[in-house]
Amino acid sequence: MSRRPVVAGNFKMNLLAEEARALASSLRAALVAEPASCDVVLAPVYTSLHAVREALEGSSIALAAQDVHFEDGGAFTGAVGAPFLVDAGCTYVIVGHSERRQLFGERDADVQKKAQAAQRGGLVPIVCVGETLEEREAGRAEEVVLSQVKAGLEGLDLDRVLVAYEPVWAIGTGRTASPDDAQAMHAAIRGSLSAAFRDKVRILYGGSVKADNAAALLGRPDVDGALVGGASLKTESFLPIIRAAKH
Ligand code: 13P
């Protein structure tokens, strides 16, 4: 198997442009001194993309946006389509994050259109899926996640997509899925993919990933990386997670 791990930092609505630039520069310097064994991706707020792009110029760290509109352009006030993200230097974009689903009412159909728009524009979508606590307690976690995966990946080229499993109850709560629970869901997601891509698609885990649990999570066979929120906001908390991701 040749799935190189990916560690992505989702800054969410944090870090002003100069703060994001400083973090990117500091991570860059650390990874020049000791190269990462994984792909590293940073997803700042839209308004910080330019600053982070400048800080990363010529480095192997990739730039991502946190959302994309499903139309490429036109009369969509406040929206940002894939061509604009490419223009801003992005190569990845997060779609269907649970905060978008829960706080902004995104449904599977929206996530599907966004992921397709991302690929159409040449971006790699990071398609997020995950069950709520209520769904897990009702024994419906796998059913919910697999139906989100099916909808989110519909019509995509599976050579150019990442999946992120982020149980909603583990996001920002300090409560992480156990490595066994994460592995079980990752294996279920992988098993649902078409045979040709099953061993190729990289599936990241997200939800309270920290320096002290990263190695155990990333050590599981179907966990190909991490999508990190809070711990990605400082070099000293993010770098150890990057270091924990070994090919
Ligand atoms: P936390 O790492 O802060 O729990 O956030 C996870 C997440 O939502 C990443 O997209």
Side-chain angles (χ1 to χ4, degrees):
M1 265 187 287
S2 58
R3 298 191 305 268
R4 184 176 160 87
V6 188
V7 174
N10 174 10
F11 297 175
K12 306 193 179 182
M13 200 166 72
N14 294 294
L15 304 182
L16 297 174
E18 290 314 309
E19 297 167 327
R21 182 200 301 275
L23 173 59
S25 299
S26 138
L27 288 168
R28 176 186 186 152
L31 298 184
V32 166
E34 188 191 331
S37 309
C38 61
D39 293 341
V40 178
V41 181
L42 301 182
V45 176
Y46 286 134
T47 48
S48 302
L49 285 171
H50 183 71
V52 173
R53 176 195 207 168
E54 284 183 343
L56 298 181
E57 196 82 60
S59 85
S60 60
I61 303 176
L63 191 61
Q66 299 176 14
D67 186 27
V68 62
H69 190 61
F70 47 77
E71 294 288 351
D72 293 342
F76 300 97
T77 301
V80 184
F84 298 87
L85 299 180
V86 171
D87 188 43
C90 295
T91 48
Y92 294 85
V93 63
I94 298 169
V95 296
H97 192 278
S98 66
E99 286 150 17
R100 300 293 319 170
R101 294 178 190 259
Q102 301 218 307
L103 306 174
F104 300 92
E106 283 189 18
R107 296 154 306 139
D108 279 341
D110 304 305
V111 178
Q112 183 177 98
K113 286 198 281 183
K114 289 179 172 205
Q116 292 178 359
Q119 279 202 344
R120 189 166 69 239
L123 295 164
V124 174
I126 304 173
V127 177
C128 299
V129 298
E131 81 285 2
T132 62
L133 186 58
E134 197 182 10
E135 289 161 342
R136 173 156 286 258
E137 285 176 346
R140 297 183 52 231
E142 190 173 308
E143 170 203 332
V144 167
V145 167
L146 295 189
S147 85
Q148 291 174 347
V149 168
K150 186 168 188 301
L153 298 187
E154 180 71 34
L156 296 188
D157 170 3
L158 295 189
D159 268 328
R160 294 186 295 128
V161 66
L162 302 178
V163 175
Y165 169 55
E166 300 203 307
V168 176
W169 48 269
I171 295 177
T173 57
R175 221 183 128 178
T176 325
S178 70
D180 284 348
D181 285 342
Q183 166 57 26
M185 189 63 84
H186 282 230
I189 294 171
R190 194 174 299 293
S192 77
L193 302 176
S194 66
F197 292 99
R198 199 163 291 160
D199 290 330
K200 287 191 182 165
V201 174
R202 291 178 290 178
I203 306 172
L204 318 187
Y205 171 80
S208 298
V209 177
K210 308 282 177 219
D212 60 4
N213 58 26
L217 288 159
L218 289 161
R220 291 313 173 105
D222 288 299
V223 179
D224 305 316
L227 182 54
V228 185
S232 73
L233 300 175
K234 292 200 168 116
T235 306
E236 54 274 28
S237 48
F238 195 34
L239 199 55
I241 300 173
I242 294 171
R243 296 290 182 222
K246 297 259 167 18
H247 201 176

